[in-house]
Amino acid sequence: RAGPQATAGEKLKEMQGGRGKWAAGLPRGTVVAVNDAGAIPYFARLSIIDTVGVVNPEVVPYLSRYDDRQPGLLEYLQKPC
């Protein structure tokens, strides 16, 4: 575990890597919405929707529709596939 003197990168790696390892226990075929398209999908080996738009740039127009990103993100996630 990252100790009190750990760098921000080490803490982020531990946190997001831990989430990815947890998600690895989800059923195959599960799609996970994440804000970190690195460690979580790497460890989980699941498909993702990148809520920031790096991996899924089609989400970006939804994020900028409102003053707050949340309504646009929910609109994107609820649209038919």
Side-chain angles (χ1 to χ4, degrees), residues 28-72:
R28 290 288 149 214
T30 299
V31 178
V32 181
V34 299
N35 67 346
D36 181 333
I40 295 172
Y42 175 81
F43 286 107
R45 301 286 187 221
L46 295 171
S47 296
I48 66 158
I49 296 172
D50 172 22
T51 63
V52 177
V54 175
V55 175
N56 299 94
E58 65 274 12
V59 75
V60 174
Y62 289 86
L63 299 177
S64 59
R65 286 185 182 178
Y66 307 93
D67 290 335
D68 180 9
R69 296 170 25 112
Q70 198 73 20

